[in-house]
Amino acid sequence: MKTDPTTAAAVLAAAQADLDVGRLQSALTAARALAAGDAPATVQIEAQRLQAQAAFHLGEQGETIAAVQALFERLGGGGLAYPSRSALLAISAVACGELARFDESLAHLQQMLSVAARGGSFEGYVRARSTAATCFALLGDPWAGQRLLSELLGLFQGLPSEASLEAAVRNNHASICLRVVRLARDAGEAADVTEAIEHAQASLQRVREIVRLTGDARRGALADIYAAEMALLRGDAAGSASQLQRAIEHADATGQSAHVRFLKVLQAEAFIAAGAPEQA
């Protein structure tokens, strides 16, 4: 017997609420069941969107790509009129990049930039270029990503309506600056290291100001992650180890398991640098 539409819609709404507050595994489990079941087509479409988004935030990039592809195939014609198409192309572009599927990443990036250009919204413009910056970093040129994000940051005017979007871009900016730090450090470019750390610190300070105003715990958890990495890259291995532990607890509490895995790698790096490899 086909799932009752009202019940299916309620399950979908609950899964969306879980995603919004960071209960990512719960959202993903519900979305998978709805997408694979016999719910009405409209519910299945939104369930596949939720599945892709939750999987992405959990670091399940293969599932992210598969869910986006399945959704676009279901919609037909590449889902050109689907409202969330640009957002899905963005996460798919990054997921492909993280799996070194660079041709697919660039193809999705080009489609997303085209959608943003046609849409004409400030948010669409910013998100498309922020994703492009991430892709540049994944392709090995974080300097290009840093420059692009620096240009975007100059567009924000400190308005409350822009706060969440600005925090997302600034967290991305800090992350890419720290990629620059690692590469510049390995190349012995001390001045570039200092400059990139200063840029990252400025973005993280602004994120914390926004979090104090909005109470956005997930944005704050991301800022903690990059602040902990920054402490490690500054050479404060002992201090960063405890900072990383707090960041792990914060990320875990906000459902960001993919970041927890990354933080544990950083924590091991900190213990080794502090001369305590047995704790790594």
Side-chain angles (χ1 to χ4, degrees):
M1 185 173 66
K2 198 169 185 65
T3 304
D4 174 65
T6 303
T7 301
V11 173
L12 178 67
Q16 180 67 61
D18 282 339
L19 180 70
D20 291 343
V21 299
R23 292 192 291 267
L24 301 176
Q25 191 58 60
S26 177
L28 180 58
T29 298
R32 283 171 177 163
L34 284 172
D38 58 358
T42 53
V43 171
Q44 286 190 315
I45 287 169
E46 293 307 306
Q48 283 181 305
R49 171 189 59 78
L50 266 176
Q51 180 184 1
Q53 291 172 326
F56 178 76
H57 290 299
L58 285 166
E60 301 294 342
Q61 308 301 32
E63 183 173 355
T64 299
I65 297 165
V68 171
Q69 181 178 351
L71 175 55
F72 287 165
E73 288 174 355
R74 176 189 286 271
L75 291 169
L80 294 177
Y82 184 57
S84 298
R85 183 168 185 264
S86 182
L88 291 173
L89 285 169
I91 62 175
S92 186
V94 174
C96 286
E98 290 187 357
L99 295 180
R101 292 162 59 171
F102 296 126
D103 288 345
E104 293 172 75
S105 178
L106 288 171
H108 290 173
L109 178 60
Q110 289 168 349
Q111 292 176 53
M112 182 192 60
L113 291 170
S114 176
V115 171
R118 290 197 305 271
S121 75
F122 176 69
E123 181 173 354
Y125 177 89
V126 169
R127 288 195 183 281
R129 280 152 182 75
S130 183
T131 301
T134 300
C135 289
F136 287 142
L138 291 170
L139 289 166
D141 190 357
W143 290 273
Q146 182 187 27
R147 288 194 297 273
L148 182 52
L149 288 170
S150 294
E151 292 172 7
L152 288 179
L153 291 175
L155 300 178
F156 289 102
Q157 302 177 46
L159 301 175
S161 59
E162 299 173 350
S164 180
L165 183 61
E166 182 184 355
V169 174
R170 285 195 174 277
N171 268 329
N172 196 20
H173 179 245
S175 173
I176 289 177
C177 285
L178 294 178
R179 286 177 180 260
V180 171
V181 170
R182 287 182 179 274
L183 291 175
R185 183 188 61 182
D186 292 345
E189 301 289 347
D192 289 348
V193 168
T194 300
E195 182 181 34
I197 284 180
E198 288 175 353
H199 286 313
Q201 186 171 16
S203 272
L204 294 177
Q205 181 177 341
R206 175 58 182 154
V207 172
R208 290 200 171 97
E209 291 172 0
I210 291 172
V211 169
R212 282 196 293 271
L213 292 171
T214 63
D216 190 334
R218 292 179 66 195
R219 302 287 187 214
L222 278 175
D224 286 348
I225 290 167
Y226 301 133
E229 183 181 6
M230 185 168 64
L232 175 60
L233 292 174
R234 276 177 157 164
D236 182 14
S240 67
S242 59
Q243 194 171 347
L244 284 161
Q245 183 56 44
R246 290 194 298 272
I248 288 169
E249 292 167 1
H250 195 176
D252 196 36
T254 53
Q256 302 188 73
S257 59
H259 292 296
V260 171
R261 293 194 293 271
F262 171 66
L263 283 165
K264 287 183 176 178
V265 171
L266 289 180
Q267 191 177 47
E269 184 180 343
F271 283 136
I272 291 169
E278 72 282 355
Q279 297 183 55

